[in-house]
Amino acid sequence: MNPLLCARTICLFTGTLAAFAGAERATATLANALAARGHRVHVLSLWGHTPVFPLAPGVAHHALFAARRAFKRHYVSIVRQVRRYVREHGIEVMIDVDPMLALFTVPATLGLPLRRIAWEHSTYASDLGRRARRWARALAARRYDAVVVLTDADRSAWQTHHPDAHAQFVTVANPLGITMPGTPPAHGDERCILAVGRLIADKGFDRLIDAWTSIAADAPGWQVHIVGDGELREALLAKARDAGVGDTVRLLPAVSDIAQHYARASIYCLPSRRESFGLVLLEAKAYALPVVAFAADAGPRALLHDGVDSLVVDDGDIPALADALRRLIGDAALRRQFGLAGYAHAQDFRADAIAERWEALWTDDVPNNLPATEATR
């Protein structure tokens, strides 16, 4: 940590750390990185006593409930518990991992001398039709010191919808949640197309299976590995079986050590319908994997460079996705070229570098808008 910056007592307030998902991984990664830089770091969860991602010894974790609750019924209790926690531990910086948590944080911290920051992991358009989310975003814009978003496109959306905001809107990319290898892995001839994420419709794994079905016969020895848990597991397995590719499509459980899967793959595929950032893209690049992706949402468009480290096709164009996969399957030299370019790009997202950008949010001389990361320019 810069010796001119004082160590602060920081609390990341989140729904849970007991789930395998991108926001949870990013929360644990940032908490560990801030602790490594000398800050006193707490993670306060609404539920789930046992994080699935490891926390550094210097990070304190506390959950208000053991399991998910109907939080509306416990609203007053949550507000009181959050206020007690903040006061007992002398929290100086409160980071809401979802702007929805402003509905708890604002009343819980009234009159307390701390800096409030909201961390948005979704695109602004993804309000999920919930009026409460729109209220919470407006509350954060009016009452918080900063709202951190993942791409410049979302920063513009916040500025447009909240022109009179008190908060500054700042673009800071998510940090890499895995340790980069010291040199780019060579990958040899693993013959594996990898995809990672929750097994839900937004992740588009059904579209990957459709694309794979059209080229599997032309790619002997290759397999598709989809790593994640979720409600669509059986439906995806059935889809692969019915399409005649059940023997080459594997659905593997989510794990905290996701790096093992990147190390054993040759291509990464992102078939998402919605993807506000796409931390998996950075993780794949950290392991020198070439990427094939749909141009879905701001995240992939910001993080990928078509023809340099990836092949990016129009959203929903399954034949184009299949052709891109076929092209990389048949060209080992191109896979290596893209992988090396991606590995170089991933260096910008090391956890320590991202934590340093966060520190600028609670110094006294923070500018109105921090510059965008290289990935979001």
Side-chain angles (χ1 to χ4, degrees), residues 178 187 194 258-265 268 280 283-284 287 289:
I178 58 177
H187 292 290
L194 177 66
I258 191 62
Q260 61 182 294
H261 291 289
Y262 294 117
R264 294 197 292 263
Y268 189 85
V280 291
E283 293 175 346
Y287 270 77
L289 287 176

Side-chain angles (χ1 to χ4, degrees), residues 100-142:
M100 277 291 287
L101 294 169
L103 299 174
F104 300 113
T105 296
V106 169
T109 60
L110 280 175
L112 300 183
L114 79 169
R115 193 164 290 222
R116 300 182 190 90
I117 301 170
W119 188 6
E120 177 67 272
H121 289 269
S122 300
T123 59
Y124 196 90
S126 301
D127 65 11
L128 307 179
R130 297 178 64 182
R131 186 179 302 171
R133 182 169 290 277
R134 293 192 288 273
W135 288 344
R137 283 173 168 169
L139 189 60
R142 289 197 307 268

Side-chain angles (χ1 to χ4, degrees), residues 4-297:
L4 297 178
L5 295 176
C6 296
R8 302 294 176 89
T9 303
I10 301 164
C11 180
L12 290 96
F13 182 29
T14 186
T16 188
L17 285 185
F20 288 104
E24 286 76 7
R25 181 186 293 275
T27 300
T29 302
L30 181 60
N32 292 342
L34 290 171
R37 293 176 66 81
H39 298 287
R40 299 172 293 273
V41 182
H42 298 253
V43 178
L44 179 62
S45 299
L46 288 178
W47 66 275
H49 292 309
T50 306
V52 297
F53 299 109
L55 294 175
V59 177
H61 177 257
H62 176 74
L64 303 184
F65 301 96
R68 189 190 296 272
R69 300 288 185 92
F71 294 117
K72 287 182 180 179
R73 298 178 186 175
H74 299 274
Y75 180 79
V76 174
S77 172
I78 292 171
V79 169
R80 287 175 176 169
Q81 290 185 70
V82 172
R83 186 174 184 85
R84 185 182 308 119
Y85 193 91
V86 168
R87 296 183 68 179
E88 287 180 355
H89 295 281
I91 301 302
E92 299 171 278
V93 180
M94 189 78 164
I95 301 172
D96 290 350
V97 177
D98 184 332
M100 277 291 287
L101 294 169
L103 299 174
F104 300 113
T105 296
V106 169
T109 60
L110 280 175
L112 300 183
L114 79 169
R115 193 164 290 222
R116 300 182 190 90
I117 301 170
W119 188 6
E120 177 67 272
H121 289 269
S122 300
T123 59
Y124 196 90
S126 301
D127 65 11
L128 307 179
R130 297 178 64 182
R131 186 179 302 171
R133 182 169 290 277
R134 293 192 288 273
W135 288 344
R137 283 173 168 169
L139 189 60
R142 289 197 307 268
R143 302 294 297 272
Y144 279 35
D145 296 286
V147 175
V148 172
V149 298
L150 302 179
T151 66
D152 284 344
D154 267 304
R155 186 175 69 178
S156 296
W158 276 84
Q159 290 169 333
T160 298
H161 286 87
H162 306 281
D164 301 321
H166 168 75
Q168 53 181 316
F169 303 123
V170 183
T171 304
V172 182
N174 275 340
L176 264 171
I178 58 177
T179 301
M180 289 187 67
T183 57
H187 292 290
D189 192 24
E190 287 82 1
R191 297 192 178 189
C192 173
I193 299 167
L194 177 66
V196 177
R198 287 177 295 159
L199 305 184
I200 58 175
D202 279 357
K203 297 301 181 182
F205 296 129
D206 57 313
R207 307 199 293 182
L208 170 55
I209 292 173
D210 285 337
W212 174 242
T213 298
S214 68
I215 64 171
D218 301 326
W222 282 77
Q223 290 194 341
V224 171
H225 290 180
I226 301 172
V227 180
D229 298 325
E231 61 197 40
L232 295 183
R233 174 175 293 276
E234 294 306 318
L236 292 170
L237 286 171
K239 182 179 182 67
R241 286 196 302 268
D242 293 345
V245 293
D247 58 337
T248 56
V249 175
R250 296 184 63 193
L251 269 66
L252 304 170
V255 292
S256 57
D257 179 20
I258 191 62
Q260 61 182 294
H261 291 289
Y262 294 117
R264 294 197 292 263
S266 296
I267 299 170
Y268 189 85
C269 183
L270 186 96
S272 297
R273 292 178 170 88
R274 293 183 181 179
E275 198 68 59
S276 58
F277 184 69
L279 184 58
V280 291
L281 296 175
L282 293 180
E283 293 175 346
K285 287 185 175 191
Y287 270 77
L289 287 176
V291 176
V292 172
F294 282 130
D297 267 345

